[in-house]
């Protein structure tokens, strides 16, 4: 839920990058952080514990224009993708205004993508939000994989329900920045349209 600071004339929106382990969520945020001018970004924070070796939640406020005279500030987070960290994903997802679902384009990862998306739907619903109306942008990452392991876009659309849910979809190669800012613009527009 967006937080409004009337005194500062700011609206703070939380966007969570969600998806299976090693799909490129943190790579997206690291790329965004590396490209945004210093004067409009905060520090990129990484928090890890002894038991959660790949736990990141990265925080990045971005100024992306005004809504009815209020400065919009986006806070970007990632969740740990490994299956055993569901409780952490639930905690990070709490209060989110929108989600970028990062799907791995490797054919062998399709079931992990589907399972992670189902879990996202359950977690959003548990927060008394309607999944079908929640701002979500799908990012098909790793589109530079060799053709023999690359899942066709139409196959991913089918298994992930993109056409049925009418979600925007972006093809990406986060390691080099392809599609990264296009994804961010799409989720920013979707979140702002719900304000």
């Amino acid at each position: 839920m967006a937080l409004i600071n009337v005194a500062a004339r700011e609206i703070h929106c939380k966007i969570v990058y969600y998806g299976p382990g090693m799909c490129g969520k943190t790579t997206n945020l690291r790329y965004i952080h590396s490209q945004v001018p210093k004067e409009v970004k905060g520090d990129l924070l990484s928090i890890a514990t002894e038991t959660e070796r790949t736990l990141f939640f990265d925080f990045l406020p971005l100024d992306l224009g005004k809504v009815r005279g209020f400065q919009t500030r986006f806070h970007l987070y990632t969740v740990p993708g490994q299956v055993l960290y569901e409780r952490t994903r639930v905690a990070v997802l709490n209060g989110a205004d929108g989600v970028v679902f990062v799907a791995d384009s490797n054919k062998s990862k399709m079931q992990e993508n589907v399972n992670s998306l189902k879990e996202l739907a359950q977690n959003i619903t548990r927060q008394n939000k309607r999944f079908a109306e929640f701002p979500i942008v799908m990012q098909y990452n790793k589109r530079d994989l060799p053709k023999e392991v690359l899942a066709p876009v139409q196959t991913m659309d089918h298994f992930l329900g993109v056409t049925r849910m009418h979600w925007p979809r972006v093809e990406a190669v986060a390691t080099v920045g392809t599609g990264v800012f296009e994804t961010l613009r799409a989720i920013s527009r979707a979140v702002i349209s719900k304000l």
Side-chain angles (χ1 to χ4, degrees):
M1 181 164 93
L3 299 174
I4 300 173
N5 182 335
V6 176
R9 302 206 44 87
E10 289 184 337
I11 301 172
H12 293 256
C13 300
K14 180 178 181 180
I15 296 173
V16 176
Y17 282 66
Y18 201 101
M22 306 303 290
C23 65
K25 300 174 297 291
T26 299
T27 304
N28 268 273
L29 262 63
R30 288 190 189 283
Y31 184 82
I32 292 166
H33 191 267
S34 74
Q35 300 299 308
V36 172
K38 288 181 182 178
E39 57 274 3
V40 297
K41 67 181 177 185
D43 292 334
L44 182 65
L45 304 177
S46 172
I47 301 170
T49 68
E50 285 182 30
T51 58
E52 298 176 293
R53 67 175 177 82
T54 59
L55 169 62
F56 285 98
F57 58 102
D58 306 330
F59 174 79
L60 173 68
L62 281 179
D63 293 319
L64 295 176
K66 293 190 178 192
V67 175
R68 297 186 186 200
F70 282 75
Q71 188 68 40
T72 306
R73 190 173 278 279
F74 287 89
H75 301 274
L76 308 182
Y77 292 80
T78 64
V79 296
Q82 288 72 17
V83 173
L84 63 133
Y85 301 134
E86 181 179 3
R87 291 178 66 189
T88 303
R89 286 191 294 279
V90 169
V92 174
L93 190 60
N94 189 34
D97 298 296
V99 168
V100 171
F101 186 86
V102 182
D104 193 317
S105 292
N106 192 318
K107 290 177 188 176
S108 69
K109 300 290 186 177
M110 191 61 64
Q111 191 58 52
E112 289 178 46
N113 290 331
V114 169
N115 292 346
S116 184
L117 185 60
K118 284 179 182 177
E119 179 192 89
L120 173 64
Q122 291 169 349
N123 290 338
I124 287 174
T125 302
R126 285 183 189 139
Q127 293 182 17
N128 296 319
K129 297 175 183 172
R130 297 184 66 177
F131 183 66
E133 297 172 6
F134 195 79
I136 294 175
V137 171
M138 299 295 283
Q139 183 191 77
Y140 295 169
N141 194 25
K142 303 183 185 180
R143 297 307 298 170
D144 60 340
L145 288 171
K147 189 173 183 169
E148 59 272 8
V149 298
L150 185 67
V153 169
Q154 296 78 7
T155 301
M156 294 184 74
D157 284 348
H158 173 74
F159 281 101
L160 298 174
V162 170
T163 307
R164 181 175 36 85
M165 297 298 288
H166 306 288
W167 290 320
R169 176 213 342 115
V170 179
E171 294 180 51
V173 182
T175 54
V176 296
T178 304
V180 171
F181 277 98
E182 185 180 348
T183 302
L184 179 59
R185 280 189 295 276
I187 192 62
S188 298
R189 281 192 299 268
V191 166
I192 287 174
S193 74
K194 290 284 186 180
L195 292 179

